[in-house]
Amino acid sequence: MTEIISIALNKLDADPKNVRKTYSAEGVEALAANIREDGYRLLQNLVVRKGDKKGRYFVMAGGRRLAALNLLAEAGEIAKDFAVECKEREGEVATEISLAENLMREDMHPLDQYEAFDALAKQGKEVADIAARFGTTDTVVRKRLALARVSPVLLQLYRDEDMSFAQLSAFTVSDDHERQVTVWNSLSTWNREPHSIRRALTEEMIPATDKRIQFIGGLAAYEEAGGSVKRDLFDDRNAGYALDTVLVEKLVTEKLEVAAATVRAEGWKWIECSATGPVGYHAMKRHYPEGITLSEEDQAAFDAAKAEYDDLAALIENDMADDEAEAKLAEVEKRIDALNARTEAYSPEALEQAGAFVFLDYYGRLAIERGFVKRDENAETEDMDDEGESLQGGKSAEEPKVPAISHSAALIEDLTAHKTAALRIELANNPDVALVAVVHVMLLRVAYPYHSEQSALQLSLTHERLEPSMKDAESCKGLTALNDLADNYGHHLPGQSRRSV
């Protein structure tokens, strides 16, 4: 039986035969905090052998503990000759002992950590105090405590190794234990990836990445209005979920109405607000603004503002501008935009007949489209019965029959080529639209390979599915992160694409 001896701290040296020679400063500081919290006692004794000089000892096992004690001594928290309890072993087995201590060590099971942290939390300990006690971070403690939201049934499945930790963590977005178990049992064994679990549990929640949340100013604005939030500590990309859908819609509507009030003051016949783009509005008849010549006074002001803008831009480009140049440039640009707005206006007839849509675009930005004319059903169509007969008397014999038009294959090919050329030059002249079109095609091929939607843009893309090549695909952090990221694609992808012709 190895005897325990007490050795002064300043008589202990790092063993050159220790296989582990590098310790992170952060890890040493965390361990020092743990020792401090436990009354400057070591939970495990150091293992030492006699040193080269009389009275000195090499620490064969416990190098990080020695570094933490020395850190505390340098800070004046313990004496330099602080008594350290050690076990002495023969020098011939120094390397073997050091190797065994480092290789045979097993990390504490996450659920054991959770239970230990939870016990301290129930005693009233703060998260920071628990982290210091165990030599870890506040984030790790919060993530372990979040496991309290998970059903005991699922915790046991994880203990029995029938579930990965990534899968278990996905359940922390919900507090409903019954629903958690239902979701786990309802998902196919091949579809129990974390992102699938998270999506099933948050169907009625609105993620922070949703364009509506972004439009109202993020979750901070939503919370300020009294909304409750569920945060996912295991998802670094998502700040959380809004639980009150009605409140989100209310905040969106209020902000849209503020913008609509300004547009309504322009004198339009009608204004419609919507959180999504109006269906089919591109096919509606539309009035466009007419050009107006600036007055001499406005033209002079425009020319002066343009010259001032050019001068400021030149100074900034040549690094000769002062600190206020950027602000001045922005102010001049606003004046130019205001004057440009006076160069066109809608006619009184357009305002009398047409209206405007106020809505959110695909990216959650405010969009205002003016000049659309709604079809007057009463004026443009006849009342027809189920057989197509006019209720005002007989078939519409007065209407000329539209002749069927057929084109040769050569003409259709020629026209299609012209159409394709026109689309290409439009994309070339609109790089933002082109980029969206390219990413759209790639995502359809990669993220949604089994969907039938296609894009008019044809790209050749090679995508290798990696899961079949992995022994344990669920443990791959890169694959899991990419799958989780795919949950957010839907807020940016157009709902229906068109086939090319």
Side-chain angles (χ1 to χ4, degrees):
M1 181 175 179
T2 303
E3 293 186 4
I4 298 177
I5 59 177
S6 182
I7 304 174
L9 177 61
N10 55 8
K11 298 295 183 181
L12 298 172
D13 301 311
D15 195 336
K17 292 185 179 181
N18 193 326
V19 296
R20 188 174 181 182
K21 298 176 170 49
T22 305
Y23 306 98
S24 69
E26 183 180 354
V28 172
E29 291 173 359
L31 182 57
N34 180 270
I35 295 172
R36 181 189 301 114
E37 288 291 321
D38 199 30
Y40 300 101
R41 295 175 298 177
L42 294 181
L43 296 177
Q44 185 177 358
N45 297 327
L46 303 182
V47 179
V48 300
R49 65 182 176 91
K50 286 186 170 57
D52 296 335
K53 296 181 180 179
K54 185 177 180 180
R56 301 197 69 83
Y57 292 84
F58 286 128
V59 177
M60 294 189 292
R64 192 162 70 97
R65 277 165 278 160
L66 175 62
L69 290 171
N70 284 329
L71 185 64
L72 293 171
E74 291 172 5
E77 297 185 42
I78 59 176
K80 293 184 178 179
D81 60 351
F82 178 81
V84 183
E85 293 184 345
C86 307
K87 293 179 181 179
E88 184 180 0
R89 300 291 293 272
E90 296 297 327
E92 290 78 7
V93 294
T95 300
E96 288 84 348
I97 290 176
S98 174
L99 188 63
E101 186 200 36
N102 285 280
L103 291 183
M104 301 302 291
R105 180 185 302 164
E106 183 176 0
D107 291 336
M108 191 174 182
H109 194 278
L111 288 188
D112 293 338
Q113 287 181 329
Y114 151 63
E115 291 175 352
F117 295 168
D118 186 55
L120 292 177
K122 288 178 179 177
Q123 294 174 15
K125 294 286 187 181
E126 299 291 336
V127 169
D129 296 331
I130 298 175
R133 175 68 180 81
F134 284 87
T136 186
T137 65
D138 292 3
T139 301
V140 170
V141 173
R142 288 194 178 93
K143 286 185 175 181
R144 294 297 180 267
L145 291 176
L147 296 177
R149 303 174 185 169
V150 182
S151 165
V153 174
L154 301 178
L155 292 177
Q156 188 58 48
L157 285 176
Y158 175 60
R159 280 195 185 278
D160 296 339
E161 299 184 354
D162 293 327
M163 177 190 298
S164 70
F165 185 71
Q167 291 172 317
L168 181 70
S169 302
F171 285 99
T172 61
V173 299
S174 171
D175 295 319
D176 189 337
H177 289 181
E178 183 177 350
R179 177 164 172 74
Q180 290 174 357
V181 175
T182 300
V183 166
W184 175 257
N185 292 331
S186 64
L187 291 174
S188 303
T189 55
W190 54 266
N191 193 34
R192 286 175 172 171
E193 296 183 11
H195 72 275
S196 299
I197 296 171
R198 192 175 288 111
R199 182 170 56 239
L201 291 171
T202 58
E203 286 178 340
E204 299 179 356
M205 304 178 191
I206 303 178
T209 52
D210 188 280
K211 65 180 182 180
R212 292 168 293 176
I213 298 294
Q214 297 297 316
F215 177 66
I216 64 177
L219 284 179
Y222 162 77
E223 287 184 284
E224 189 176 343
S228 56
V229 174
K230 171 74 70 176
R231 287 188 163 83
D232 184 359
L233 294 176
F234 295 89
D235 186 355
D236 296 331
R237 292 173 301 279
N238 199 327
Y241 299 86
L243 302 181
D244 193 338
T245 305
V246 175
L247 178 59
V248 171
E249 295 293 348
K250 177 176 177 289
L251 295 174
V252 170
T253 300
E254 289 176 351
K255 192 166 182 179
L256 286 173
E257 284 296 339
V258 171
T262 302
V263 181
R264 191 175 287 110
E266 298 173 6
W268 295 102
K269 181 179 180 181
W270 52 265
I271 301 291
E272 285 189 4
C273 296
S274 173
T276 58
V279 177
Y281 76 101
H282 288 299
M284 295 173 65
K285 178 182 176 182
R286 185 175 187 179
H287 289 282
Y288 292 93
E290 301 173 355
I292 300 175
T293 303
L294 289 175
S295 66
E296 292 184 4
E297 182 181 354
D298 286 344
Q299 186 62 52
F302 178 83
D303 294 339
K306 187 67 170 61
E308 185 179 356
Y309 182 92
D310 293 339
D311 291 341
L312 286 170
L315 290 174
I316 294 173
E317 185 176 355
N318 295 321
D319 295 327
M320 299 174 61
D322 56 26
D323 295 337
E324 299 179 357
E326 293 285 354
K328 292 178 181 177
L329 189 69
E331 190 274 331
V332 173
E333 192 170 6
K334 289 181 181 179
R335 296 203 325 256
I336 292 175
D337 290 341
L339 290 167
N340 268 328
R342 299 181 187 178
T343 62
E344 59 181 23
Y346 288 90
S347 67
E349 292 78 9
L351 294 173
E352 183 180 350
Q353 299 173 6
F357 294 106
V358 180
F359 60 96
L360 301 186
D361 66 9
Y362 285 119
Y363 305 100
R365 300 173 301 198
L366 178 67
I368 301 174
E369 296 289 346
R370 299 173 172 85
F372 291 93
V373 179
K374 290 184 176 180
R375 183 179 180 184
D376 189 341
E377 298 288 345
N378 294 325
E380 296 186 13
T381 61
E382 287 186 323
D383 291 331
M384 309 292 286
D385 64 14
D386 294 339
E387 298 299 324
E389 295 285 338
S390 172
L391 297 180
Q392 299 177 4
K395 285 269 188 180
S396 300
E398 298 81 3
E399 296 183 3
K401 184 178 180 181
V402 178
I405 301 176
S406 61
H407 300 298
S408 66
L411 179 57
I412 292 176
E413 182 179 358
D414 181 60
L415 293 175
T416 302
H418 279 281
K419 178 182 177 181
T420 302
L423 289 172
R424 286 178 179 176
I425 191 61
E426 283 301 312
L427 285 180
N429 291 327
N430 294 274
D432 291 341
V433 176
L435 178 59
V436 172
V438 170
V439 174
H440 180 219
V441 176
M442 289 182 174
L443 290 179
L444 287 175
R445 292 286 302 278
V446 176
Y448 305 102
Y450 305 111
H451 284 210
S452 60
E453 292 90 348
Q454 295 187 23
S455 169
L457 184 63
Q458 297 179 355
L459 292 179
S460 177
L461 178 66
T462 300
H463 171 61
E464 195 74 30
R465 301 200 65 81
L466 303 176
E467 291 90 334
S469 302
M470 296 181 178
K471 292 182 178 179
D472 185 9
E474 292 183 351
S475 66
C476 177
K477 294 182 179 179
L479 189 60
T480 300
L482 184 60
N483 288 335
D484 289 344
L485 189 62
D487 287 343
N488 296 325
Y489 290 157
H491 304 304
H492 305 290
L493 286 176
Q496 294 292 334
S497 54
R498 298 289 183 264
R499 289 181 177 272
S500 57
V501 294

